[in-house]
Amino acid sequence: MNSLKAKIVASWKAVVRDPIIPFGVVSLLLLIALAIAPLKDHFSEWRNYQHQYVRMIRTRGDAVTLQRHFQGGIRQIWLPKLGVVDRCQTCHAGLDEASLSDVSTQPFAAHPVIPHHLDEFGCVVCHRGQGAATTVAEAHHSKMAGEQPILPARYIESSCGQCHHSTLEGTPKLNQGRTLLTGYGCVSCHTIKLADGTTMTATDQPPPLTHIADKTTREWIYAWLKDPASYSTTATMPNFNLSDADARDISAFLIADSEPLSGDTAMTPAVASNSAADPAAGASLYGESFCASCHAMQNAAGNVVGGNLGPELSGIGSKVNAGWLQSWLRDPRHYDPGTQMPQYRWTDQQLQLLTGYLQSKTNSDFLANVHLAAATPAQIAHGKALVSEYGCASCHQIRGIRKPDNFAPELSRVGSKPLEQLVFLDGMQHSLPDYLSEKVRRPRAFGTNLHMPVYAFTPAQLEAVTTALLSLTDRSFTLPPQLQVPSPRISNYQPAGHAGQLMTNMNCLSCHRIHGRGGDMAPDLTWEGSAVQHQWLDAFLKNPNTLRPSLIRRMPKFNLSDSDRAELTDYMMTVYQTPAFERDSMPLTGYAPAEVEQGRQLFYSKYGCQACHIVNAQQDKGYIGPVLTQVGSRLTAAWIYQWLKNPQALRPGTTEPNQNMSDDDARALTAFLITQKTSLKQEAKQ
């Protein structure tokens, strides 16, 4: 061993002694390095993909065009305003080639059609990943600090949300996720600020608990706190997984904290007893009032059917007492001034019938095993502490409990959360989408002291919520202003005067939008005074009839007095007029028979309107749009004409297509439609 070491040392000294030898060795190494560099580039991953792409397009009928478009070498998009350096097209060489739509092999497939050009945004703005990389591993899967791997395709809609801060056509998953965040009260605890300066606000309506003892029992509150979904499958309140003792104490505090509604002379049923209520008559009144437009209820087949604007009523008889229910039906705003429930002006007899019918809707299993002893002062005090600890006042109005500030972490930029700041569960994939999804699905798994409740989201809903959260990125706040598509500004419009008070009592804005404020469940009424005829509107408010046979939801009957109805009709006809045209600029009668016939032919042939609308109830099959059998008695001729010319100009977002109709065609069709004045009795016969 020693002799070998001595020989090596001697050889090294001989090399160092002669300067020519080390110079030659270094030169040889440099020559080898210079030879390896181009060879490495020649055999690089991206060049191999380009070779495969060229071989593929040579076999196609449009090979000449595709080869002319192809550019070899590193292809780069540089967008300094977006902070983007994007070399993705180096491998994805066919992204811009629409003729490659039949190719599914990656990375050669064409990009699906989108309203943006790749040169405007590149790839990483939407797909994330590392745009400057030229290998698959670095571009798609890098997990170094400050870098994010490529976004899974199922969450791709989240990238649209970086620029578009409101509902966007073509992104149903993102839209649903945002709706769930606001509709399930997530934003009541978590602040979510958007780059356009707005803040997401809750759209659910948790009831006030200030007078809860007037409404229900401590036993019901206890059972509800234990598992809201066991009472209502459509409940938006999550499950806090409370222990029996904690649910007992919270229910004790809420009942003890409740105070009788001051000045309430209506809490006693107007009629002596509901025992004699006719179930069939009550069910009929429930149906005639179209309560199912807003409320769901379990039917005989066990299916929950109806709207979701109000709470499910399947077990309402087990929840509220008859006195409170009748008082609520008489005037909902007396108990909850912020409710969306309208005032129907039912008679005492109708109130009795409807109360009896709803009281019969019980859930005997829900309270079967609930037995609570009288609450002790210690339990009440503990319940109050728990209410504060769990942030119940973030959603509910509770006497003596202030709504907490910054109760849960802000989520405004959660879509850019660095991975090194996250704590992953054992066996969990280390990616931001997986973390967010699992945190929503099993929040308590991340810590025994966490208070975030469990939501009963389906897998599809969970994916939608994750998509919405991933849209909340740092990039959304740094985009140039011209790329931001802000949310529509919230209107504070309020109808005025006595007619406005009537509209407030009926909560018209819960379903209808007027001047940018209100719901979208029913038509926009902003220009209703220019659209409809006075006589029709008065008759409709007296007894709303069906305009769209395919819709389950219907306009309820509000039982207005003749004077109130006349005042409301006059107000709407006078105030809600468009400045775009004069309502009476076209006559309601007097059109030449030849012009009417021309319009009929246009309706049934050139424009095929019968595909969506019904004029002849015996032959037309159009159930998508409104029935037009009496449109001549309902709409003004000027509105029909302007609508045919450009529907979106009158009601943006309407599904009625713009046919780019000529003036002559629009006038002929108007003449035909304004003659359709079948009476309601004749229509019913047909």
Side-chain angles (χ1 to χ4, degrees), residues 431-567:
S431 73
L432 183 60
D434 286 274
Y435 171 82
L436 293 176
S437 177
E438 199 64 13
K439 188 65 184 291
V440 175
R441 190 175 75 90
R442 293 193 300 153
R444 303 287 178 88
F446 289 82
T448 56
N449 294 324
L450 296 178
H451 292 147
M452 181 170 169
V454 177
Y455 288 86
F457 290 139
T458 65
Q461 289 176 320
L462 184 61
E463 194 169 290
V465 170
T466 305
T467 300
L469 293 174
L470 287 169
S471 71
L472 306 170
T473 65
D474 291 334
R475 188 187 296 279
S476 66
F477 286 87
T478 59
L479 286 168
Q482 61 269 26
L483 296 182
Q484 298 277 357
V485 184
S487 304
R489 293 298 175 185
I490 298 176
S491 168
N492 60 355
Y493 170 77
Q494 182 65 37
H498 182 256
Q501 184 60 47
L502 289 172
M503 296 178 71
T504 299
N505 290 342
M506 293 187 295
N507 261 329
C508 300
L509 293 174
S510 293
C511 300
H512 296 276
R513 186 177 297 272
I514 305 176
H515 291 300
R517 182 187 173 198
D520 58 1
M521 194 171 81
D524 191 313
L525 299 181
T526 303
W527 310 130
E528 188 73 359
S530 295
V532 301
Q533 298 177 34
H534 188 284
Q535 184 178 0
W536 177 88
L537 181 58
D538 182 75
F540 183 81
L541 291 175
K542 182 177 182 179
N543 187 24
N545 62 309
T546 298
L547 298 179
R548 295 174 181 262
S550 62
L551 295 183
I552 297 176
R553 293 176 173 176
R554 297 283 189 265
M555 170 91 166
K557 184 178 179 180
F558 289 110
N559 304 300
L560 291 165
S561 67
D562 291 345
S563 59
D564 283 348
R565 190 178 69 253
E567 182 174 0

Side-chain angles (χ1 to χ4, degrees), residues 659-675:
Q659 303 279 10
N660 295 312
M661 204 173 289
S662 68
D663 293 349
D664 290 342
D665 282 1
R667 182 174 176 84
L669 265 170
T670 300
F672 169 67
L673 292 173
I674 206 67
T675 61

Side-chain angles (χ1 to χ4, degrees), residues 646-659:
N646 188 357
Q648 284 74 27
L650 296 178
R651 285 185 181 154
T654 179
T655 56
E656 176 83 11
N658 188 343
Q659 303 279 10

